[in-house]
């Protein structure tokens, strides 16, 4: 280059607005799955995405280069939920074979099990890793929530629940939430054995909890339920800010929703397979119909104007710049 100028790629951050969100469409899709995607997770500090599928595979993707780096099969145990640890090639996953409900710590580098976590007696339906320490929590249809340390194969604590639990740590790892039966119970992670320090109600919705999540700044939380409701709450006061409605989901499916990185938007699947987007301050922004009949999983990429959906294929959604024209606002 002239004058010995260093080659470098200019990164321009696009601000997420209603118009940018409306323009989003599938930019790339991986269609080589032989079963529905049951779980996916972005690593917070790299460009990696991991998926689990009913075809008994765990797949690692480099999102920036749109490449599948590795496929690992879990034929013996099956695979249901999967989450990254702090290490970008180590994951914790739950099984789906119906006879061994252990969780497993797996190195994707060499396909080796580093630890088994035994304690649940029925399917694990919710899994959340502490963002700051090597702790994680799991909720099961056996009506228990277990607390774990990645360095020990036995659980560090047990909480009993009266229903299907949805669990999540907040962004600091100081607090975790357990949702079931129309209530969200808030626990101090250091003093959980004392019981919840607060209990939030989501109105009259007593249907099974599917997913509970905090926004990146910890100020908001969402709860999805089998009846097709996405409740948004103030995570400090517990007051219900809004409820969005989509088609209900069947008992074997999961209604998943995800906050955008700035916490201003929520994207969600629906029981009829479509995708919705809302501005948390202003209501519905966009809707994308689908020929699918089950709700897609949905995850927003950290710090990016992109989200992914997982159904019988893995799709990456990005803004269509040609639709935006003068709406594009560059930071």
């Amino acid at each position: 280059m002239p004058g010995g100028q260093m080659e470098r790629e200019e990164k321009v951050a696009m601000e997420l607005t209603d118009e940018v969100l409306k323009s989003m469409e599938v930019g790339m899709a991986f269609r080589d799955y032989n079963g529905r995607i049951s779980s996916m997770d972005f690593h917070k500090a790299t460009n990696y995405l991991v998926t689990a599928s009913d075809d008994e595979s765990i797949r690692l993707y480099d999102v920036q280069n749109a490449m599948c780096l590795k496929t690992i099969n879990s034929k013996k145990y099956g695979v249901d939920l999967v989450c990254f640890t702090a290490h970008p090639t180590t994951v914790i996953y739950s099984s789906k074979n119906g006879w061994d409900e252990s969780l497993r710590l797996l190195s994707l580098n060499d396909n080796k099990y580093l630890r088994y976590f035994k304690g649940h007696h029925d399917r694990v339906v919710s899994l959340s890793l502490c963002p700051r320490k090597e702790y994680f929590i799991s909720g099961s249809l056996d009506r228990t929530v277990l607390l774990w340390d990645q360095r020990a194969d036995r659980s560090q604590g047990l909480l009993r629940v009266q229903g299907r639990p949805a669990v999540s740590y907040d962004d600091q790892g100081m607090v975790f939430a357990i949702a079931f039966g129309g209530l969200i119970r808030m626990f101090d992670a250091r003093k959980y054995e004392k019981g919840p320090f607060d209990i939030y109600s989501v109105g009259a919705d007593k249907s099974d909890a599917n997913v509970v999540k905090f926004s990146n700044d910890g100020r908001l939380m969402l709860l999805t339920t089998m009846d097709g409701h996405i409740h948004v709450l103030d995570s400090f006061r517990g007051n219900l800010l809004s409820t969005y409605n989509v088609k209900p989901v069947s008992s074997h499916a999961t209604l998943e929703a995800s906050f955008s990185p700035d916490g201003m938007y929520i994207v969600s699947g629906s029981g009829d397979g479509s995708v919705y987007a809302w501005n948390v301050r202003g209501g519905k922004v966009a809707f994308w119909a689908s020929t699918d009949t089950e709700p897609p999983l949905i995850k927003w990429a950290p710090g990016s104007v992109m989200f992914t959906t997982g159904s019988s294929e893995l799709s990456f959604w990005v803004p269509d710049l040609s639709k935006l024209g003068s709406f594009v606002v560059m930071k």
Side-chain angles (χ1 to χ4, degrees):
M1 294 181 72
Q5 184 181 347
M6 286 178 64
E7 287 187 44
R8 64 191 179 93
E9 184 183 337
E10 288 287 348
K11 284 203 171 178
V12 183
M14 180 184 288
E15 185 180 355
L16 189 58
T17 63
D18 287 10
E19 288 74 23
V20 168
L21 193 50
K22 280 177 192 167
S23 83
M24 292 181 82
E25 59 183 36
V26 177
M28 170 169 261
F30 290 87
R31 300 188 170 93
D32 56 338
Y33 285 86
N34 295 312
R36 285 192 74 82
I37 295 168
S38 56
S39 179
M40 53 188 180
D41 189 34
F42 281 98
H43 191 263
K44 303 289 186 288
T46 65
N47 292 304
Y48 286 171
L49 169 73
V50 67
T51 67
S53 164
D54 290 348
D55 65 12
E56 301 175 326
S57 72
I58 296 171
R59 305 187 194 197
L60 179 68
Y61 293 87
D62 176 339
V63 174
Q64 191 166 15
N65 295 305
M67 288 170 55
C68 181
L69 299 177
K70 185 161 284 198
T71 299
I72 289 175
N73 291 310
S74 177
K75 298 291 183 192
K76 183 178 178 183
Y77 302 110
V79 55
D80 195 4
L81 303 179
V82 65
C83 288
F84 277 113
T85 66
H87 195 281
T89 57
T90 308
V91 298
I92 292 172
Y93 79 92
S94 67
S95 58
K96 205 175 196 173
N97 56 20
W99 56 270
D100 184 344
E101 305 301 342
S102 303
L103 295 152
R104 290 171 181 78
L105 182 63
L106 173 69
S107 166
L108 300 176
N109 275 336
D110 48 13
N111 192 15
K112 281 197 175 146
Y113 293 118
L114 307 177
R115 186 158 281 114
Y116 295 83
F117 305 100
K118 296 179 182 291
H120 282 303
H121 303 293
D122 204 341
R123 186 176 150 221
V124 174
V125 292
S126 191
L127 189 60
S128 180
L129 271 70
C130 180
R132 298 294 168 100
K133 292 181 177 156
E134 292 181 299
Y135 303 144
F136 67 99
I137 47 178
S138 56
S140 165
L141 295 180
D142 66 11
R143 299 197 165 198
T144 66
V145 171
L146 296 181
L147 292 89
W148 307 87
D149 186 322
Q150 290 178 40
R151 297 159 295 191
D153 55 6
R154 296 287 167 196
S155 66
Q156 309 296 296
L158 180 150
L159 296 164
R160 298 197 181 277
V161 297
Q162 286 85 48
R164 173 192 168 118
V167 299
S168 181
Y169 276 102
D170 76 337
D171 59 308
Q172 300 291 316
M174 306 290 287
V175 168
F176 62 82
I178 302 176
F180 62 90
L183 299 170
I184 303 174
R185 291 157 175 81
M186 307 291 287
F187 291 81
D188 183 328
R190 296 159 300 184
K191 298 180 284 195
Y192 64 86
E193 65 278 354
K194 294 187 175 178
F197 64 81
D198 217 335
I199 300 176
Y200 302 157
S201 169
V202 291
D205 186 1
K206 299 286 193 290
S207 65
D208 272 353
N210 273 192
V211 169
V212 66
K213 286 181 186 175
F214 290 84
S215 59
N216 282 350
D217 62 8
R219 293 170 185 260
L220 300 175
M221 60 195 308
L222 66 80
L223 171 69
T224 71
T225 68
M226 195 174 144
D227 279 356
H229 303 308
I230 298 111
H231 304 289
V232 183
L233 300 92
D234 178 313
S235 62
F236 296 116
R237 297 181 186 87
N239 49 311
L240 187 62
L241 302 176
S242 51
T243 295
Y244 308 119
N245 302 307
V246 297
K247 289 279 192 303
V249 298
S250 61
S251 58
H252 67 272
T254 298
L255 177 62
E256 188 173 44
S258 182
F259 281 108
S260 60
D262 60 7
M264 296 296 294
Y265 295 92
I266 289 170
V267 285
S268 170
S270 171
D272 60 5
S274 53
V275 175
Y276 287 81
W278 296 273
N279 183 320
V280 296
R281 291 181 181 168
K284 184 175 162 187
V285 172
F287 161 79
W288 297 272
S290 169
T291 55
D292 206 341
T293 56
E294 292 192 50
L297 298 179
I298 199 152
K299 286 275 191 307
W300 204 289
S304 173
V305 186
M306 181 185 77
F307 64 84
T308 56
T309 54
S311 52
S312 54
E313 56 191 52
L314 176 66
S315 302
F316 294 80
W317 295 69
V318 292
D320 180 352
L321 298 180
S322 67
K323 290 182 185 171
L324 289 168
S326 59
F327 285 129
V328 178
V329 181
M330 296 298 186
K331 278 184 178 175

